Amino acid sequence: MIKFIEEQKLFQIDTKNTSYVMRVSFDKFVEHVYYGKKLEKADFPYKDKIISFAPFIKETGYGFSLCTRQMELSFFDSGDLRDTGVRIKNADGNSVTLFYYKDYKIFDGRIEFSDMPYSRNADKTLELIYFDPVSNCELSSYYSVFYDTDTITRYMTIRNVGSEKVTLESVIACQVDFAGGEYDVTTLNGCYYIERMPETVPVACGIQKIYSKRGHSSSHFNPYIQIAEKGASEYAGNVFAMNMVYSGDFVSQVERTYENDYRVMTGINPETFNWILGAGEQFTTPEAVISFSSVGKNKLTQNFHDHVREYIVPKEYKSAKRPIVINSWEAMYFNIDEEVLLKYAEKANELGIDTLVVDDGWFLGRDNDKTSLGDWIADSRKFKDGLKAFSDRVHERGVNLGIWIEPDMISEDSDLYRQHPDWAIQVPNRPLSLGRNQLVLDMTNDDAINHVVNQLKETFKDVKIEYIKWDFNRSLSEVGSLNLPKEKQGEVKHRFTLGDYKMRKALTEAFPDAMFEGCSGGGGLYDMGIMFYCPQIWASDNTDPVWRIKIQQGSTICYPLSVLSAHVANTKSNKIEKGLDYDYRYAVASGAVLGYELNITKFSKETEALVKAQVNDYQDIYPLVLDGDFFIIDKLGKKEYGFTLVSKDKKSFAVFYYNYGRTKRTKINVHGLDEQLTYNFMGKSLTGKEIMQNGIELPKEAKLYFTTRSKN
Ligand code: GLA
């Protein structure tokens, strides 16, 4: 799995289908030599690469320039004049950085982070140890192998072993260099209400980067970056991707030089980061996940899906059935009324919906978005006998209770802010921008974190709650903390994210019986960092089914359906659906984690029967949503999308196809079935081979969508 090949000084990391190879050159530098299809045995002897005018050091000679070779790590202004990943301001006051390779270790498992999310249960880890004699820092670069999923994780730890403090100005998590060829880059871009729209463009000379400076991974760019060889398709060609297990300011970028050298990097955004490392201190970066596929993009998608399900989400939720919720937000917004909610609970039980989620508006004075964040006490105007009595009544009606929180935030109009105005993120002498009428809690401050955690513990004490929706409704601006000294203000952004993780850890531990759902003004925190604590995430506030198809399509490129929370609702902005077609809306939402978000007490008898049938039908689908392998339906037009979910044992499958354009499709293809197995499918008994060879004839009425599945 990980070996050191002495003769050529190569490290070879193998996963089931891929190999990743590095070479130690001149006993000092670690070069990247290969990432691709699995190799029997790596054979990459050192060769000079002579590029006129490229900087070099006398010791290595002309044939080795840090500026033109493929390196595992890159250091600021030491001959590598491309964008570099590591930059440390040393005690001399300059930021020239250069670490030399020193040693390595290979060990079972991995080092688990205590303060950050990470990929659990690695098979093996390679640690490459470097030293910079000027900054007096030691650097460990870790590569953990997840053999079956063809994924490798990477991060770094920097230790100041000298006696003077230094400043970390940039420390990325992962870099992959390669040379030659032509590539496309795909990223997931968007904004509030239109999250994760995939965009693919050719990799051009210069730097193409996506990033966040918003204090959360954001709706605007997701940290995922995919690089595909020109011409690669869903089922053929070389393609690889990187993503972060991180929720704060990030950068993911690809650089191409005119010599056709490529560098792909991801990590904390250096623009909003500056970290003082005192003597004896160490800093660990968040982790990146990388994966490669030689058989097209769909396999890469599967690798990330499996990685998230196996190693990121809490293990108890890996294959645990998710609640089917009725969420109060779009049905009643802030008008939380106990009696009305109890009617929802009764109706939910009749329909088979198992959890009532009381969204925003339940706590002290929270009648609109201008007030009360930070006062996590049930509003006695809305819950006459308290939250416990309400919860009991909900449970008496046969459904579970969910509740909404937004603990990283604070309203100016709140008791908490009146008592602790210093607990908001702020800088002196500047007006503070509001976002959705609110400020942000200073999550670098343990007192603030502990206060909110303790208050929530008290409020939810003895209250039976099975589900907690954790929202985060604004980006950070005017970022500073009154809790930290002046020279540490550059640390606020990362410390804020660490504070958020600290609180997520505390609250998930305090409420072990509740499943946490992530959310951020829709899908502004849709990343693996959050998935470590929250096994599912509200993907978008946009519940129009056509928009949802697009959002689900983009989200699914990297993240599994089991983390994607999708509700049947009443919002409509499309022109292709006649009225509100609940069958259509269900066809979209049931390709993910199904829920409802509308007034279920006002349904007609027919709609009630329909919803009942949907909830019942979903019982057969959700195991595939939780655990199935994803196979995209390829060769479709621009406004079409579809996929087949195949159970791990290949014995059952479900097909989802959507068409929101004008393409007259009569047939779709199917991938991933077992050729030999016989399936009971669309009234016939057919082998996997027959189904895959013939494709599926779409019934005439299936203009907008078509879903079907094998029957046992
Ligand atoms: C955000 C969420 C919504 C809802 C509201 C409540 O917009 O995305 O689902 O919870 O906040 O204020």
Side-chain angles (χ1 to χ4, degrees):
M1 210 179 277
I2 301 177
K3 53 186 176 234
F4 182 59
I5 305 166
E6 188 67 53
E7 317 86 73
Q8 293 185 4
K9 299 236 175 341
L10 298 176
F11 291 104
Q12 178 173 351
I13 300 174
D14 285 336
T15 67
K16 199 171 177 180
N17 302 294
T18 72
S19 294
Y20 187 107
V21 187
M22 302 166 255
R23 181 180 49 236
V24 180
S25 302
F26 301 96
D27 290 330
K28 277 196 163 145
F29 301 106
V30 186
E31 294 192 76
H32 178 81
V33 291
Y34 180 84
Y35 187 27
K37 200 171 171 173
K38 193 163 186 169
L39 301 169
E40 268 301 302
K41 182 166 184 255
D43 181 19
F44 297 98
Y46 174 83
K47 284 194 192 98
D48 275 351
K49 178 178 178 187
I50 295 172
I51 303 282
S52 306
F53 298 102
F56 65 95
I57 53 170
K58 285 188 195 138
E59 194 182 336
T60 61
Y62 220 129
F64 185 95
S65 167
L66 288 174
C67 204
T68 59
R69 298 193 75 95
Q70 280 61 61
M71 304 305 300
E72 272 306 299
L73 296 176
S74 52
F75 307 108
F76 180 72
D77 202 21
S78 284
D80 190 341
L81 304 177
R82 295 169 281 184
D83 216 20
T84 46
V86 184
R87 191 174 72 213
I88 300 179
K89 184 182 260 187
N90 58 52
D92 297 335
N94 68 68
S95 298
V96 177
T97 307
L98 186 59
F99 281 84
Y100 300 105
Y101 169 77
K102 215 172 77 176
D103 204 357
Y104 76 93
K105 285 183 198 156
I106 296 172
F107 51 90
D108 285 340
R110 60 161 299 156
I111 300 169
E112 294 184 354
F113 296 165
S114 58
D115 58 350
M116 271 187 295
Y118 59 93
S119 306
R120 307 165 212 256
N121 299 329
D123 295 317
K124 269 196 182 305
T125 297
L126 167 67
E127 176 182 358
L128 299 184
I129 303 159
Y130 298 69
F131 184 65
D132 174 5
V134 176
S135 66
N136 270 311
C137 287
E138 201 173 67
L139 183 158
S140 287
S141 177
Y142 296 92
Y143 301 73
S144 295
V145 187
F146 298 80
Y147 189 85
D148 286 335
T149 48
D150 284 333
T151 45
I152 297 172
T153 60
R154 288 184 54 182
Y155 70 93
M156 281 186 241
T157 295
I158 296 189
R159 290 173 289 273
N160 183 347
V161 293
S163 53
E164 293 189 85
K165 71 176 180 207
V166 298
T167 306
L168 308 182
E169 295 178 323
S170 172
V171 203
I172 52 98
C174 176
Q175 165 182 331
V176 175
D177 284 4
F178 50 95
E182 282 196 68
Y183 301 86
D184 287 328
V185 53
T186 299
T187 51
L188 306 174
N189 314 328
C191 57
Y192 171 68
Y193 221 61
I194 313 182
E195 295 91 341
R196 290 172 300 288
M197 297 289 114
E199 286 194 76
T200 301
V201 292
V203 178
C205 275
I207 295 173
Q208 279 149 290
K209 89 172 183 189
I210 47 162
Y211 63 93
S212 171
K213 292 193 275 183
R214 293 166 194 267
H216 56 135
S217 51
S218 90
S219 307
H220 292 75
F221 298 114
N222 193 266
Y224 179 76
I225 183 166
Q226 181 202 85
I227 308 291
E229 193 178 66
K230 256 288 165 275
S233 65
E234 289 294 343
Y235 293 101
N238 291 325
V239 45
F240 91 100
M242 263 181 209
N243 200 349
M244 296 276 289
V245 187
Y246 190 57
S247 316
D249 287 6
F250 72 91
V251 61
S252 296
Q253 65 178 52
V254 52
E255 177 173 8
R256 177 184 173 183
T257 65
Y258 203 73
E259 293 109 332
N260 249 5
D261 290 321
Y262 294 84
R263 170 165 293 163
V264 189
M265 295 197 289
T266 190
I268 294 181
N269 191 344
E271 233 189 294
T272 55
F273 171 85
N274 218 291
W275 193 277
I276 294 172
L277 206 60
E281 288 179 349
Q282 66 173 47
F283 179 84
T284 294
T285 71
E287 164 178 298
V289 181
I290 59 172
S291 186
F292 172 88
S293 155
S294 63
V295 291
K297 299 176 183 180
N298 190 74
K299 177 71 171 74
L300 199 66
T301 289
Q302 290 181 345
N303 294 347
F304 275 96
H305 285 192
D306 283 339
H307 189 91
V308 171
R309 294 187 294 207
E310 286 291 328
Y311 307 119
I312 299 286
V313 299
K315 63 174 182 324
E316 57 275 30
Y317 291 105
K318 200 191 122 201
S319 15
K321 184 170 183 270
R322 301 294 154 75
I324 299 180
V325 305
I326 165 68
N327 179 296
S328 66
W329 182 244
E330 285 186 23
M332 56 188 82
Y333 295 106
F334 292 104
N335 305 315
I336 294 295
D337 180 311
E338 184 170 23
E339 293 310 317
V340 176
L341 285 169
L342 290 175
K343 290 206 179 88
Y344 272 64
E346 260 157 43
K347 188 54 78 185
N349 187 38
E350 268 175 46
L351 299 174
I353 294 171
D354 51 58
T355 304
L356 169 72
V357 178
V358 180
D359 208 283
D360 200 352
W362 61 269
F363 48 99
L364 219 60
R366 178 76 169 174
D367 294 338
N368 56 55
D369 67 13
K370 292 195 173 64
T371 173
S372 307
L373 295 169
D375 297 342
W376 300 107
I377 296 167
D379 191 329
S380 56
R381 291 175 303 149
K382 299 185 183 177
F383 300 96
K384 286 187 304 297
D385 304 320
L387 211 52
K388 180 177 176 346
F390 171 71
S391 165
D392 291 345
R393 286 172 198 152
V394 169
H395 286 92
E396 276 158 24
R397 283 156 179 79
V399 292
N400 290 338
L401 179 65
I403 201 149
W404 178 96
I405 58 173
E406 198 184 356
D408 310 68
M409 299 290 159
I410 183 165
S411 301
E412 266 181 307
D413 181 8
S414 66
D415 289 345
L416 186 64
Y417 188 74
R418 282 182 281 275
Q419 279 155 22
H420 296 286
D422 54 319
W423 281 8
I425 285 287
Q426 59 193 281
V427 289
N429 305 319
R430 291 204 187 275
L432 293 187
S433 305
L434 295 173
R436 208 203 189 207
N437 286 309
Q438 66 200 47
L439 298 174
V440 182
L441 192 69
D442 184 353
M443 300 291 282
T444 74
N445 185 336
D446 279 351
D447 291 341
I449 296 178
N450 292 339
H451 170 84
V452 171
V453 168
N454 289 336
Q455 192 173 52
L456 280 166
K457 277 193 195 164
E458 187 57 33
T459 298
F460 295 161
K461 195 171 70 186
D462 304 327
V463 183
K464 216 167 160 224
I465 294 176
E466 286 87 358
Y467 174 107
I468 296 177
K469 176 175 169 188
W470 184 314
D471 214 334
F472 186 109
N473 273 325
R474 68 159 287 186
S475 300
L476 277 58
S477 62
E478 297 92 24
V479 174
S481 164
L482 301 184
N483 172 52
L484 292 169
K486 277 185 199 159
E487 65 276 14
K488 283 187 173 281
Q489 293 299 312
E491 301 179 10
V492 174
K493 276 294 190 63
H494 182 57
R495 285 190 187 275
F496 178 90
T497 303
L498 293 179
D500 173 84
Y501 293 146
K502 190 181 271 181
M503 199 192 256
R504 281 183 205 262
K505 186 167 187 286
L507 287 176
T508 47
E509 282 171 8
F511 304 108
D513 299 332
M515 192 206 71
F516 281 69
E517 176 173 271
C519 180
S520 171
L525 265 174
Y526 205 88
D527 59 65
M528 290 194 280
I530 298 302
M531 290 168 197
F532 185 84
Y533 306 95
C534 303
Q536 66 185 48
I537 301 183
W538 180 230
S540 176
D541 276 357
N542 195 337
T543 49
D544 173 80
V546 171
W547 279 107
R548 268 292 174 149
I549 293 168
K550 299 184 210 176
I551 292 163
Q552 292 177 197
Q553 175 172 8
S555 307
T556 307
I557 289 180
C558 175
Y559 307 103
L561 301 172
S562 57
V563 300
L564 198 158
S565 173
H567 294 174
V568 171
N570 277 344
T571 318
K572 183 168 189 281
S573 55
N574 74 81
K575 293 198 175 66
I576 61 169
E577 175 194 22
K578 288 202 185 77
L580 292 171
D581 179 346
Y582 289 121
D583 274 332
Y584 179 40
R585 286 159 185 257
Y586 171 71
V588 177
S590 62
V593 176
L594 174 73
Y596 291 81
E597 190 159 337
L598 69 181
N599 189 343
I600 54 170
T601 63
K602 291 267 160 62
F603 281 159
S604 66
K605 283 284 157 238
E606 295 78 63
T607 310
E608 277 191 4
L610 193 74
V611 170
K612 238 184 197 170
Q614 291 174 349
V615 171
N616 196 31
D617 180 72
Y618 191 66
Q619 305 309 317
D620 286 343
I621 299 179
Y622 87 83
L624 289 166
V625 167
L626 279 182
D627 220 21
D629 285 331
F630 179 92
F631 292 90
I632 201 152
I633 300 174
D634 62 342
K635 306 198 170 86
L636 294 179
K638 244 187 149 190
K639 294 188 172 179
E640 293 172 280
Y641 174 57
F643 53 91
T644 302
L645 296 177
V646 184
S647 63
K648 290 274 179 209
D649 64 7
K650 299 266 183 202
K651 286 188 180 152
S652 57
F653 68 95
V655 179
F656 296 79
Y657 166 74
Y658 314 106
N659 185 344
Y660 51 95
R662 289 171 194 274
T663 313
K664 290 197 172 62
R665 179 78 48 201
T666 54
K667 209 182 213 190
I668 52 174
N669 62 42
V670 180
H671 293 264
L673 308 185
D674 184 321
E675 292 202 348
Q676 314 301 327
L677 272 184
T678 301
Y679 297 91
N680 183 356
F681 183 61
M682 295 178 81
K684 289 189 188 139
S685 187
L686 297 165
T687 63
K689 191 173 180 184
E690 285 167 324
I691 300 171
M692 289 194 289
Q693 263 173 7
N694 300 334
I696 300 175
E697 299 277 352
L698 293 176
K700 282 216 175 51
E701 65 279 9
K703 278 203 192 109
L704 263 186
Y705 67 98
F706 177 68
T707 61
T708 184
R709 59 179 182 269
S710 63
K711 300 268 181 278
N712 289 329

